[in-house]
Amino acid sequence: MSSPQPPVLSRAWYREPWPWILMAGPAAVVVAGFVTLALAVTSFDGLVADDYYRQGLGVNRDIARDERAGALGVSAAVHFNADRSEVRVVLSPRGAAGASLRLRLVHPTRAGEDQSIVLAATTPGAYAGGVAPLRQGHWRLSLEDPAGTWRVAGDWSAAQDATTLASHPRADVR
């Protein structure tokens, strides 16, 4: 004789753990998709320029200014004070510019952080000016005469107190 089996109790599906475990993955992907969409809609990366063609044409002009600075032998030592509120530039050779220079601080990803500063001559070959607060990170510095005939450039990290700017000769691509 067989003994009677106990009755099998069935629970509702939502009381079982496996359906919830299986639904957790797709639900997490849907939530991540909405978070990504919200970030894409509310933030502006500023990397794409509307006038990219005109900017591309300007590259040749920039190369000519770099070559002119190289021909003149222009270089500059850029020094920031401790709180990054002032910048001092020592230009070599001293007669390469007049009463002022223009220094551009360009953040690589945040165009709204870029600054253009007019530096006034303090002594022959030395220039100084004020700087708005700077974000930590790497910056691209560009120094040019007021007429825009030459330009020296270089990279600078906000963790450093100083850097040197020089012309970079263009390598011919063959």
Side-chain angles (χ1 to χ4, degrees):
M1 284 211 172
S2 68
S3 63
Q5 296 289 332
V8 176
L9 299 175
S10 65
R11 297 191 312 186
W13 71 269
Y14 53 85
R15 293 190 186 269
E16 295 290 334
W18 285 110
W20 295 107
I21 292 171
L22 293 174
M23 286 188 284
V29 170
V30 169
V31 170
F34 280 114
V35 168
T36 304
L37 177 66
L39 289 173
V41 170
T42 59
S43 66
F44 173 69
D45 61 5
L47 295 178
V48 179
D50 291 337
D51 59 344
Y52 61 89
Y53 182 73
R54 190 174 339 140
Q55 287 181 1
L57 293 175
V59 168
N60 290 336
R61 184 173 40 95
D62 291 341
I63 291 171
R65 294 189 306 162
D66 291 344
E67 290 172 350
R68 173 81 173 138
L72 294 173
V74 176
S75 66
V78 181
H79 302 275
F80 290 88
N81 65 350
D83 63 353
R84 308 290 188 259
S85 62
E86 289 185 15
V87 62
R88 188 171 52 90
V89 174
V90 178
L91 191 65
S92 174
R94 292 185 176 174
S100 67
L101 292 175
R102 183 175 35 232
L103 177 68
R104 289 196 174 113
L105 292 94
V106 179
H107 193 275
T109 59
R110 304 274 184 194
E113 301 281 332
D114 296 353
Q115 296 184 38
S116 182
I117 304 159
V118 175
L119 304 174
T122 56
T123 60
Y127 300 83
V131 180
L134 297 171
R135 176 186 298 264
Q136 287 295 320
H138 293 282
W139 292 81
R140 180 80 176 148
L141 304 182
S142 172
L143 183 71
E144 59 188 32
D145 67 324
T149 58
W150 57 262
R151 177 184 77 164
V152 291
D155 293 324
W156 172 70
S157 173
Q160 300 172 327
D161 291 333
T163 190
T164 301
L165 306 180
S167 63
H168 299 285
R170 183 175 60 132
D172 290 332
V173 178
R174 294 177 192 225

